Amino acid sequence: MGADGMVRRAYKYRFYPTPGQENLLRRTIGCCRLVYNKALAARTEAWTARRESVSYNQTSTMLTGWKKTEELAFLREVSSVALQQSLRHLQAAFSNFFDGTADYPRFKKKSRGGAATFVRSAFTWDGRTLRLAKMDKPLDIHWSRPLPDGAYPVNVTISLDSAGRWHVSILVEEHVTALPKAEGKVGVDMGVESFATLSTGEKIDNPGLRKRNAKRLGKAQRDLARKRKGSNNHRRAMLKAARIQARIADRRKDFLHKLSTRIVRENQTVVIEDLAVKNMSRRCKPETDPANPGHYLSNGQTAKRALNRGITDAGWRMFRTMLEYKAAWYGRDIVVIDRWYPSSQICSTCGKNTGRKPLNVRAWTCPHCHTTHDRDVNAAKNILAAGLAVNVCGDQRKHHNN
């Protein structure tokens, strides 16, 4: 996107369907999930059994055949547009997998809610109300913020989350003006105790949302475990636990949005590390005690699990995504340095590498220049310096090529 350009932005709102609308939407979401899973199974089976690739057009032909069968005739009762969009989503998932940007597509589960997407031919919008295909009344949307003036939806996605809440995401094209140039440049060191430490010396506290709600969530999950699966009590207990988790997720997203927006507004260049969050939070195997074969070191395992929970609770990957797309919108620069850069080992004053330090060492003194450092602030300063060097080299290469 240029300095001033059009971007696609989604506006998400709660809405409250009538009983008739909810019945239709639940059937639509269920049919979309069924079509997605059947197409995924067909593509997987074709490749594993016969080494054949199945395209989107072929799955679209399959969908036409499924509708003609007596067993799946109910697919004709919902919007065909939403069903076709579920096949397009599957195609996009495979494209991301082959590009190496995502894992192999997984089957959708009913317990996680679901979604259905409608393009312009399947809804009507008059600037104030939204009506979907096969509905006689518009949706009762809680307009928490207005849509851009004159914006017409590109598509509309209806979703039901695991907490039983209905949302509508309206994708529009709007004109975004880049922010004025800023003087600030900042390096960001991600952490667990402090969510992030900036090269300016500022430390952003980790909200610790899951930890703060651990007691309520734990009780809800224990109650759920005692209920018989499939019973009404089990469904009610599952909904209660899901609502607690949804509240945690909402608060986390609100925190990340506010922080990423502030950093992008205040700084022209933001430097971050290319952290392998998935690998860092991967479940670890118990470590054996060398002195007692057959015995495990439970303390280290417990510490690793606590670190895993801290990383996943912090939302590092989501934070990076927000920084990247907001920087693209508002004309800022995001520089990502190599994950193996020893930011915690180098003295930001004299530049000497002083070696690795255990995680419990939060402050240290450089043996060369005798400067005392806060571990995280020092790392953030090194990240900024490395990022600026990468940025300068990149600009020089562009100038040379021109």
Side-chain angles (χ1 to χ4, degrees), residues 186-208 255-256 258-260 262-263 266-267 314 316 319 376-377 380:
V186 69
V188 183
D189 178 57
M190 308 304 298
V192 176
E193 291 185 7
S194 295
F195 173 78
T197 302
L198 308 184
S199 55
T200 58
E202 179 185 359
K203 291 192 175 185
I204 292 96
D205 292 335
N206 193 330
F255 165 77
L256 295 177
K258 290 177 179 177
L259 178 59
S260 58
R262 177 168 74 87
I263 290 176
E266 294 176 353
N267 300 279
W316 290 354
F319 180 65
D376 298 330
V377 174

Side-chain angles (χ1 to χ4, degrees), residues 167-347:
H167 293 91
V168 54
S169 180
I170 303 176
L171 184 68
V172 300
E173 289 186 344
E174 64 175 301
H175 190 77
V176 174
T177 302
L179 293 170
K181 290 285 185 179
E183 297 297 328
K185 298 178 178 64
V186 69
V188 183
D189 178 57
M190 308 304 298
V192 176
E193 291 185 7
S194 295
F195 173 78
T197 302
L198 308 184
S199 55
T200 58
E202 179 185 359
K203 291 192 175 185
I204 292 96
D205 292 335
N206 193 330
L209 297 169
R210 184 172 290 275
K211 184 176 181 180
R212 284 162 50 187
N213 292 272
K215 188 174 181 179
R216 290 179 60 228
L217 181 59
K219 183 179 183 303
Q221 290 175 332
R222 288 192 297 272
D223 291 343
L224 174 62
R226 288 193 289 266
K227 303 296 187 291
R228 180 171 58 85
K229 289 187 176 181
S231 67
N232 289 332
N233 285 338
H234 184 270
R235 282 190 288 270
R236 282 192 289 267
M238 184 167 59
L239 186 61
K240 184 177 180 180
R243 283 174 175 167
I244 297 174
Q245 291 175 323
R247 187 172 179 82
I248 293 172
D250 289 345
R251 290 181 172 180
R252 179 188 298 115
K253 188 174 293 186
D254 180 68
F255 165 77
L256 295 177
H257 268 302
K258 290 177 179 177
L259 178 59
S260 58
T261 297
R262 177 168 74 87
I263 290 176
V264 167
R265 286 186 180 277
E266 294 176 353
N267 300 279
Q268 184 63 37
T269 302
V270 181
V271 186
I272 57 177
E273 287 182 290
D274 182 22
L275 298 175
V277 177
K278 183 176 180 179
N279 294 339
M280 295 174 68
S281 59
R282 183 176 294 164
R283 187 184 300 273
C284 61
K285 296 180 180 179
E287 298 179 7
T288 56
D289 186 351
N292 297 290
H295 293 77
Y296 296 100
L297 299 174
S298 59
N299 291 338
Q301 179 77 354
T302 302
K304 174 62 177 175
R305 285 175 179 169
L307 180 61
N308 290 348
R309 286 193 295 268
I311 292 172
T312 54
D313 185 33
W316 290 354
R317 178 67 251 187
M318 187 183 297
F319 180 65
R320 173 175 170 176
T321 300
M322 290 179 179
L323 284 176
E324 289 175 336
Y325 74 70
K326 290 177 183 180
W329 284 352
Y330 299 117
R332 301 307 200 214
D333 299 319
I334 293 290
V335 181
V336 182
I337 66 170
D338 190 87
R339 69 185 61 169
W340 304 113
Y341 178 71
S343 58
S344 297
Q345 302 177 27
I346 297 174
C347 172

Side-chain angles (χ1 to χ4, degrees), residues 389-402:
V390 169
N391 215 17
V392 169
C393 292
D395 290 342
Q396 288 178 348
R397 283 196 297 271
K398 290 177 185 177
H399 180 72
H400 178 72
N401 291 336
N402 290 336

